[in-house]
Amino acid sequence: MNKTIFLPNGMEAVQAEYKEFPLEEFNQNPLIQALPPLLDKAAIIRKLMVRPIYKEEEKHAESIYRLHMVNRLFQLYTPLPVHIEVWNMIHTLILQGYLARNPFDKNYKKYINESGKQIINRSYEINSRQNFRTTSSCGTFIGFSGMGKTTTINRVLSNIPQVIIHNEYKGTHFNQIQLVWLKLEAPSNSSLKALCLQFFMKVDELLGTNNYKKYVSRNMSVDSMLPLISQVAHNIGLGLLVIDETQNIKKRGADQIMNFFVYLINTGINLCLIGTPGAYDLFGKELRMTRRLTGNAEIIYNNMKYGNEFSFLLESVWKYQWTRNFVHYNEEFGKVIYEETQGISDLVIKLFVYSQQEAIESGKEELTINLIRKVAKEKFRLLQPMLDAIRSGNPHKIAKYEDIRKIELEGANIRKRSEVKREEPVRRKKVDEVKAIEKVEKPKKKTKRNEYNENDLRYLLQQGKEEEKSPYQMLFEKGYIEDASKWIEMKQL
């Protein structure tokens, strides 16, 4: 176990202890050998899992105390397959990024020294890498709001020491402070300068340095700050820069920030970008950006479908009941809770907590289907439009809320259109053959409805003809349009 030490500013760090890895390339780099060993799935689950305090006898305590005991469920963390994927992504980013940044490598030391001189002489060129071949990359973690993206990243990072102190490596003096990871939040105003200032402030807060005073007090421009950030990151051995809430990056200023991300990767700094589906549009503008910013892993985490994953989460929560009467889990409970939460993990926990609190306060002291429905109706009042949109599966309704857009469905449609486009020349070549076949033997006429996808409006209109319904009636029934009569009545008033 690493020895804990305290920096002069009072922040906690660990003393470097070097481990041997089965991979030869890892065993020549102190920045890698000081990191925790790699773990298998079972060990990762044990590291990530958080169980709340729970004792069977607590259900006999007074209700006023049990209302607070139920809140312990907000501390529960149950690892799912996607969380193991995130763990592996974070560790891979850090390890691979350090490969080209060996402080004992002559070429790397030359690159750092020459970059430093150019910054001092103000002759540094952002696009020049001086023959430095980076091994850094970027990972993206995008998913529904409420699915625990930030919590997952924090759980993974909490198992990696943030600050490591080096003194000696293999008998050689090696005085180095290693900042393994740093987490920032994307500024809501899409200001690159705000992001740069946040970087300097966080580094100073953790390490007790004075970068903010040194560089910001001079009223330096953003262009002048970029090489300084890269140089500081190399000097402190920064392994991973995590940027959360990337959906805050709006159109104005987005290109500048995205170029900054690409610049950091090119100069050897690893990135991990986290956000809701609203951030996904940032990655599709240019191949240069997309290739770099999705270079290591692209994890998409939508709401859970009703199935094994959802049932596993709910069953892991279900055993924590502070009501006097314990109710066993069954599929009916699972279906109702899924219907009321649509597989959003944050809402699953909240509904289970609020339902228990309602059962305790009302004196019923047990969970029932009606109780859960009642609590969901009262507590999720503001969320109902979004939940209704998810339930409907209607792209028109879902598009109103960026946080609940299902990304892979859009990606599948894009891929499908691309495949059709690629196949078009082949089809043209076969037109004459097809026409000849049709002359010989005409196929049975298909109904137009079979030719269209169920999400195609033409499918609905054809269905309306068969059911003798007007186009307006069909579109109204499927939720594509609203009843205009209420607007007319309001106007008359």
Side-chain angles (χ1 to χ4, degrees), residues 335-393:
K335 288 180 178 179
V336 169
I337 292 177
Y338 185 84
E339 178 65 21
E340 299 295 345
T341 64
Q342 288 301 297
I344 298 175
S345 52
D346 179 59
L347 299 185
V348 171
I349 301 297
K350 285 179 177 175
L351 182 57
F352 193 62
V353 168
Y354 298 154
S355 296
Q356 286 197 60
Q357 290 175 337
E358 174 66 22
I360 293 170
E361 282 187 311
S362 65
K364 292 181 179 179
E365 293 292 350
E366 70 176 23
L367 297 171
T368 63
I369 297 294
N370 290 335
L371 176 72
I372 291 172
R373 289 191 185 279
K374 175 178 176 288
V375 170
K377 186 177 180 180
E378 292 176 355
K379 298 293 185 179
F380 297 162
R381 211 174 271 129
L382 295 176
L383 295 170
Q384 285 310 317
M386 284 162 274
L387 292 172
D388 287 341
I390 299 173
R391 290 187 193 104
S392 71

Side-chain angles (χ1 to χ4, degrees), residues 243-302:
I243 311 290
D244 200 357
E245 307 294 348
T246 53
Q247 73 277 0
N248 288 341
I249 303 174
K250 305 301 180 185
K251 290 182 180 178
R252 192 187 71 174
D255 289 342
Q256 194 180 21
I257 289 184
M258 300 306 280
N259 278 316
F260 170 57
F261 291 161
V262 173
Y263 163 73
L264 288 179
I265 297 169
N266 288 340
T267 56
I269 309 303
N270 285 302
L271 284 179
C272 178
L273 306 179
I274 313 165
T276 65
Y280 200 73
D281 293 337
L282 297 171
F283 306 115
K285 293 184 177 180
E286 296 181 28
L287 176 62
R288 174 181 64 91
M289 286 187 183
T290 307
R291 183 177 63 86
R292 279 295 190 189
L293 298 180
T294 57
N296 181 269
E298 182 183 351
I299 300 175
I300 306 298
Y301 194 26
N302 291 324

